[in-house]
Amino acid sequence: MFVIHAYLAKSSNPYSHERLASELSDYFDFERKNGLEIGVSANPFTREKYLILRWPGWNFTAHFETGRSVAEDVNYIASVTKDCPPEIKDCAERIRFVFSPDEGRDFTNHIIWAIDYLSAIPGAIIFDESQKTIVRGW
């Protein structure tokens, strides 16, 4: 499992689960010919919706999150991450992608495309959870 977070600054065009679903559907439309299906599920404890992007043999989930857990993670990242942009403290929302294992590296391009999607969000600070590093910020 591989997890990437995109911390989002306050914006005049804020994100939501619906916006994320629409944008990812458009962004990955070219992959439908390769078996991509996009579905919605919900966390049974919080009832928060999330997306599942599924190809034959692999998938990743896309979560739009706000609230206390995001604020706690922002504070943690700011305290432990070298060269963390101070602007992360202003972020109260995030998009989190959770990639299933890809031992055969058959879906490396898909992971890169997903990170490219996050990197194109103005002001997003991209954090690699496993490496505990900022991939791109501000």
Side-chain angles (χ1 to χ4, degrees):
M1 185 170 67
F2 173 58
V3 181
I4 290 287
H5 301 206
Y7 288 90
L8 309 174
K10 293 177 183 139
S11 163
S12 60
N13 188 13
Y15 269 81
S16 64
H17 169 79
E18 293 76 17
R19 178 179 173 189
L20 181 62
S22 175
E23 286 187 3
L24 285 176
S25 181
D26 291 346
Y27 186 80
F28 280 103
D29 186 59
F30 71 97
E31 272 295 293
R32 292 190 189 276
K33 68 182 182 301
N34 293 320
L36 170 64
E37 295 178 2
I38 300 176
V40 177
S41 193
N43 181 313
F45 303 106
T46 65
R47 299 193 177 152
E48 293 284 327
K49 292 180 186 177
Y50 62 92
L51 302 168
I52 303 171
L53 287 84
R54 187 176 298 117
W55 287 262
W58 186 77
N59 70 74
F60 78 90
T61 59
H63 308 255
F64 173 74
E65 301 170 324
T66 64
R68 189 180 57 173
S69 65
V70 174
E72 289 170 357
D73 287 350
V74 160
N75 288 330
Y76 170 76
I77 291 166
S79 70
V80 301
T81 305
K82 183 181 176 183
D83 300 324
C84 186
E87 294 85 358
I88 198 167
K89 291 283 201 166
D90 296 329
C91 297
E93 301 175 340
R94 76 173 162 210
I95 297 170
R96 181 170 52 96
F97 288 168
V98 181
F99 302 100
S100 63
D102 181 26
E103 281 83 19
R105 298 181 188 222
D106 299 320
F107 297 94
T108 300
N109 285 341
H110 301 66
I111 294 169
I112 292 168
W113 295 329
I115 294 170
D116 285 347
Y117 165 81
L118 295 175
S119 296
I121 298 171
I125 298 171
I126 314 300
F127 178 72
D128 178 339
E129 186 176 286
S130 63
Q131 300 295 315
K132 303 228 181 311
T133 58
I134 299 295
V135 176
R136 182 184 87 66
W138 274 161

